[in-house]
Structure formats: structure tokens, C-alpha cells
Amino acid sequence: MLSGILLLLWIVTSIVFLVTLIIFIVEKQRKKQGSINKKVLIIIFAIGIIFLIAGITSGNLNKDSNSSSNNKKTAKEQTVYKVKVDSVKVDDMSNWEIKGTTNAPDGAKMFATYGDKTDSDFFGINAASSKSTIYWSTTRNGRFTMLVDPLTMHYEKAYQGNQAVKAYLFAVTGLKGKLDYYSLNPKINSNLKSTIIDSIKITNLTLSDSQAKYYNNLGSSSSSSSSNSSEESSSSSSSDADTDSSLSPKGTAKDLATGTWSAGKDFDKGYYKITATGGSGNLSSTNNSDGFDFSAILGTDADNDLGQVTSYTGFILKNTELEISGLQGVHLEPVSPTQEIDITNIPAGDYIVGGSIPAGRYKLSAVQGSGNVTSTGGLNEVIGTQADTDINQVTNTTVTLKSGDILTTGLQQISLSKQ
């Protein structure tokens, strides 16, 4: 209806403009009483132009409005995409591991929030992450894998096995900012909430008995910690020794195809530089006990828009599962975690301070790409080659790295310069 009115306005203004122009030309040729009629004609001519411009502007605004509506965009250019869930299983940390498909473009972020719009405490809170739990889960080649934490989804005083939890699961583009897992700060605004309610169907996720037991027992272990302290103390040295020995580069070069592979069974544990042998896709490791899990979008070429890198260097320790999806395969090349690297050219990966990187105070800068840079010493920044205030992205930061810290970067390349 509105578009028809605007079209009629366009036709009328166009006719006014043309008629005015014809009269002006005829009057000028006749040159009779021109001094009397020129002012009137000039005014009419100007009005015709104003109406013409108004018609064009209205038409463009209507076109933009229709386009925005069709794409389900909010005022902040966020677009929501439906997903189809193919499988749901429970991982070792009692999260739901959800896999499925979507028509969202590559790099869209996966989002899971509580399915009760009347619950202002949890509706709008994101409970999804990648397997590393420190990065967003993103789509690739129309597929996704995300972990969903029931505790963040909705807190219950007592969880029960076979309990159904309502959830909105979707992919979203235009949602900026680093993942703040376990945060109770909403990542979406009221406009996006309305879009979710209108276009996304509720998915029921079922708690298993083991999940209910796990979350009901959270915190109860502290009461028994004192009685077991001597036992834990005696076992800690052997555990530390096992971890230290695990960091040595005992691995051997290995090519792996798409799939899930287990360290110690399918290939040797160690510290590896991992590169794609073909294609591009997701690479992730899961151990849940060593703290060295990682997740990356890997390809033969870097793609700054997707956050895709050409290699990832990381620890793959005993019982770690390495999942490769979307890629034709990867190559694992063992490297030494204690050999110093070129700190002016640090690719994506995890690095030991005091080993790969000398301890010290540095200016850390982005060379190529953008993403999260963190350390176990407290660094947590979004770094990129260009500053972006919308996502609190900076081009550099100054940091003190201490021996024993682990520096993690998701960028294609960063550099360190001594301060």
C-alpha cells in the first residue's frame, strides 16, 4: 500500500516537473510579458524540482526499508538465521554438544539463549561457545558445532534428569564483540530479541542424569577438600611431572584427514604446528583437563574477514581429541615449545613465555588479521590492524609477560617489541 502511494507521488511530481519545464521553454520563446511571468515560472520550476527530489528520496527509503525487512535486520545491522539441529550429545564437562546445518554465511556466530521470553534474567544471555569455550562458535560451509552450558542457559536450584530446557538456537551476523563466556551480560538488544521471538522456533534440550548430577554437585567438593588435601599434595608432583613431560616435542610428523583423532592412539602427543593440506574448515582440540584446548578456522590461505589462519601451533597432550571438519586434511609438524621463535612474526597459536618467547615487557601489535589475544597472566584483548570501537578492538597493547605464562593468539600474525 505504501509503495503504491509513493509510486503515485513519483508520477505526479514527474508530470509537474515536465509541464513546468515545457511552459518555461514556451514562455521564453514567446518573450511576451516575460518580466511578469518569469518569477512565477521560476517558483513553479523550483517546486517541481523539490517534489522530484522528494519522490526519489521516498522511493529509495522505501526500497531500503523493504530490503531490511526481507533480510530480518535490526537497527544495528544484525541478521538472524535459522538452524537445523542434526545431533545433540553430552560432552565430558556436561555441556550439550550440538551439531547441525544453517543457511547462514561463513563466520556467522552461533547463539543459544533461554527459551522463555518472560524470563528477563536469562533470555538474551548467550550460553554457546566453541569447543575451546573461549571463542565464539562460528558457521562454516553451512555447518556448525557448538557447546551449550546448561548452567548459563538457566540456573536451577536443583536439576533433574530428563528435564527439558527450552532454548532459542540460531546463527547471527553483525554481532560484534569477543565472547564473554559464563557472563550474565546480554549480548543482544531488544530489537534482536523481538526478531528471535518472531522467527526462531524453540528447541527443547533434555538434561541427562549425569548432567543433573554434575550440576547439583557443583561446589560440594569443597567440603571434602580439606580432608583430601594431603592426598592431593602427594599426587600433585607426579601430575605436574606428567604435564611437563607431555610438553616435550615427542610427536612425529603426521597427516590426518577429516574426522576425530585421539592423541596417544592415532598419533603421538606433543607440541605441533598444524597446517591445512587442502580446503578450509574448523580445527579444534578437546581434553577438558589440561587447559590447552584450542579452536581455529584453518585454511591454505588467510582470510581476515573470517578469521581464517594458515597455521595453528599448540599443545596436543595425552587423551586429547583433535577434530577436523570442512578441511581435506591437516599436517602435524612437531616443534619445540622451548625454542625461541621470531617475536616479530608470531603466527596463531599457544606459546610458553620463558620458552618460545622471552619474558619481558612488550608492545604487542597486530600485523595481519584480527582476533583475541590472551595470556594466563591476565591479558585479554581484541587486536586488529585497524581500531574498531564497536568491538573494543585496538591495534596494539602493552603487556608484561612472565615466565610460565601461556600467550595465546588467534591472529594470522602478531609482533612483539621490547619496551
Side-chain angles (χ1 to χ4, degrees):
M1 180 66 180
L2 180 59
S3 59
I5 295 174
L6 291 173
L7 179 61
L8 180 62
L9 177 61
W10 167 263
I11 294 172
V12 171
T13 53
S14 297
I15 293 173
V16 171
F17 176 81
L18 291 175
V19 170
T20 304
L21 182 60
I22 293 171
I23 293 174
F24 182 84
I25 294 172
V26 172
E27 190 69 16
K28 183 176 181 181
Q29 289 179 347
R30 289 175 59 188
K31 295 182 179 180
K32 293 180 179 180
Q33 298 178 344
S35 60
I36 297 175
N37 295 326
K38 276 184 179 179
K39 291 183 180 179
V40 176
L41 289 172
I42 289 172
I43 293 173
I44 295 174
F45 184 79
I47 293 173
I49 291 177
I50 291 172
F51 272 96
L52 180 61
I53 294 173
I56 295 173
T57 304
S58 298
N60 288 337
L61 287 175
N62 182 60
K63 181 179 179 181
D64 291 341
S65 176
N66 288 337
S67 174
S68 176
S69 176
N70 291 335
N71 290 325
K72 297 178 181 178
K73 289 187 177 181
T74 70
K76 290 191 175 182
E77 299 299 316
Q78 295 168 345
T79 308
V80 171
Y81 297 85
K82 297 178 181 179
V83 301
K84 179 183 177 183
V85 175
D86 293 334
S87 65
V88 180
K89 70 177 184 179
V90 179
D91 73 358
D92 293 338
M93 291 298 290
S94 294
N95 298 305
W96 287 298
E97 182 179 316
I98 304 174
K99 296 185 178 182
T101 58
T102 177
N103 65 346
D106 287 355
K109 295 175 179 177
M110 296 304 304
F111 205 103
T113 191
Y114 189 49
D116 184 353
K117 63 183 180 181
T118 63
D119 191 330
S120 58
D121 291 332
F122 287 92
F123 176 54
I125 304 299
N126 177 45
S129 74
S130 66
K131 285 190 172 183
S132 69
T133 72
I134 62 173
Y135 296 113
W136 287 98
S137 169
T138 57
T139 59
R140 185 69 178 173
N141 297 326
R143 303 195 63 82
F144 67 86
T145 299
M146 64 175 169
L147 297 185
V148 176
D149 173 38
L151 193 64
T152 305
M153 176 71 71
H154 191 253
Y155 173 75
E156 301 279 358
K157 290 183 177 180
Y159 292 90
Q160 296 180 354
N162 206 37
Q163 174 184 347
V165 180
K166 297 183 292 184
Y168 287 112
L169 309 177
F170 56 92
V172 57
T173 56
L175 186 62
K176 298 183 178 181
K178 59 189 177 183
L179 179 66
D180 192 8
Y181 201 48
Y182 301 118
S183 170
L184 295 183
N185 294 319
K187 285 288 186 181
I188 55 178
N189 57 33
S190 57
N191 290 334
L192 191 56
K193 287 181 180 180
S194 298
T195 303
I196 294 166
I197 295 169
D198 294 339
S199 60
I200 304 299
K201 292 183 178 180
I202 289 177
T203 299
N204 286 317
L205 300 173
T206 304
L207 278 170
S208 66
D209 291 336
S210 63
Q211 283 178 299
K213 181 178 179 180
Y214 174 83
Y215 290 110
N216 288 334
N217 289 338
L218 279 179
S220 63
S221 60
S222 61
S223 60
S224 60
S225 61
S226 58
S227 62
N228 296 330
S229 59
S230 59
E231 181 180 347
E232 291 175 355
S233 177
S234 62
S235 63
S236 62
S237 58
S238 61
S239 175
D240 291 343
D242 180 66
T243 301
D244 290 340
S245 64
S246 298
L247 299 185
S248 60
K250 296 180 179 179
T252 54
K254 184 79 172 181
D255 288 327
L256 298 174
T258 300
T260 302
W261 308 91
S262 179
K265 178 180 178 182
D266 302 311
F267 63 95
D268 294 333
K269 64 184 180 180
Y271 183 61
Y272 290 96
K273 181 176 182 179
I274 308 171
T275 55
T277 56
S280 60
N282 293 309
L283 172 74
S284 62
S285 74
T286 306
N287 184 286
N288 297 319
S289 62
D290 57 37
F292 290 118
D293 290 353
F294 59 80
S295 178
I297 302 176
L298 195 66
T300 52
D301 297 308
D303 188 325
N304 296 335
D305 292 333
L306 292 179
Q308 179 173 295
V309 295
T310 56
S311 70
Y312 195 93
T313 303
F315 300 97
I316 304 179
L317 307 184
K318 186 178 179 181
N319 299 323
T320 295
E321 286 195 345
L322 187 67
E323 183 174 352
I324 306 163
S325 61
L327 290 152
Q328 293 180 13
V330 299
H331 175 73
L332 276 61
E333 187 65 31
V335 293
S336 172
T338 58
Q339 182 176 350
E340 287 191 13
I341 61 174
D342 179 6
I343 63 172
T344 64
N345 181 14
I346 303 176
D350 304 313
Y351 301 95
I352 297 179
V353 179
S356 303
I357 300 171
R361 186 167 177 79
Y362 295 96
K363 178 181 179 182
L364 188 155
S365 304
V367 177
Q368 183 178 353
S370 62
N372 288 85
V373 179
T374 63
S375 78
T376 53
L379 173 66
N380 190 352
E381 289 286 355
V382 181
I383 304 287
T385 52
Q386 294 182 335
D388 188 336
T389 56
D390 289 337
I391 59 173
N392 296 322
Q393 178 173 294
V394 296
T395 58
N396 61 77
T397 187
T398 301
V399 59
T400 299
L401 300 176
K402 299 179 180 179
S403 291
D405 287 349
I406 303 294
L407 178 69
T408 298
T409 170
L411 283 73
Q412 171 67 14
Q413 183 182 347
I414 63 170
S415 69
L416 295 175
S417 58
K418 281 276 192 178
Q419 296 294 294

